Amino acid sequence: MTAVLLNFRGYDTMLEIAVLLMAILGARALTQIPQVTEPAPNACENAVQMGFIRLASPILVLVSGYLLWVGGHAPGGAFQAGAVVASLGVIGSLCGVRYPLWYKRGVENLVITAGLSSFIAVGIAAVAVGGNFLEYREHDAKRLILAIEAACTLSIGATLAALFAVGHGRGATSAPDGDRRSIHE
Amino acid sequence: MNNAQIYSLCGAALFAMGLWGVVVLRHLFRKIIGFNIMGAGVFLILVAMANRTHTPQPDPVPHAMVLTGIVVAVSATALALALLRRLYHETGLATLPARGADPHGNDSD
């Protein structure tokens, strides 16, 4: 399904990713998250929640991979797979699980922009070999689309999870009802 | 009445309900929800219109527009929620100030 859309409507999907990117940029600008986030200890002490997360995480990753692959010939694709990846981040945010230490702000930014940048890179490469922007040749269309879709899945998942984290107040400078007066005084 | 007409009427009703919420309700979160209900109505109408081709295959263009619309609606909602949070952070209010009123409660205006 999405593979068909990617083939014929590459622009459409690319600009959808760009819209998501704009949303996270705007949301971050509005919440003033500090550039350097201190790695905090895991705040989740609930054994049931942690057990559920340990159980659900590999299943969600598997489902996401399946949706990504099946998108080539059936309903599925990057957005569905990305939404499943994002659900991991949402569950983690809700339970207070921190991201791994290596997942710093810079890495997150890299993952968030990977989808759009791979789109643009493949589009320009298509121009370089003598086609139109995002015009794939028959024999490598499948591989290119799968590569773009995989990058987009990670990007969409990271973007949606980051949007939720912004809304959930994780990493924000201050809680809305805590010290809101400090801005005026 | 065929399926497409039922879907279109439902979509129009959802759109009207959402529009009512956006215009009448004062709490901004309810306005955002209303905005999303309006969007759902539009999507329903677009899906219904895809069925008017008189062939077994529905028209894929409105479907693609709905897919794009869902992504844009999610993004716009996320941005609207971030704006709402910022407004609440700045003023302590989750509603727009009444016309002519000062959001901080000061007399100077």
Side-chain angles (χ1 to χ4, degrees), chain A residues 2-3 5 13 17 27-28 40-41 46 49 54-55 62-63 84 91 102 105 113 118 123 145 147 159 163 168 174 179:
Chain A
T2 316
L5 292 179
T13 310
I17 306 273
R28 274 194 186 166
N46 188 321
Q49 285 179 347
R54 292 208 175 96
L55 200 68
L62 201 65
V63 169
V84 173
I91 295 172
W102 55 265
R105 180 45 54 101
T113 50
S118 70
I145 288 173
T159 307
L163 279 171
H168 203 236
S174 56
D179 50 356

Side-chain angles (χ1 to χ4, degrees), chain A residues 79-97:
Chain A
F79 274 92
Q80 289 85 337
V84 173
V85 171
S87 71
L88 254 180
V90 171
I91 295 172
S93 278
L94 286 174
C95 298
V97 177

Side-chain angles (χ1 to χ4, degrees), chain A residues 118-130 132-134:
Chain A
S118 70
F119 243 119
I120 293 172
V122 169
I124 289 174
V127 175
V129 299
N132 288 322
F133 190 70
L134 288 180

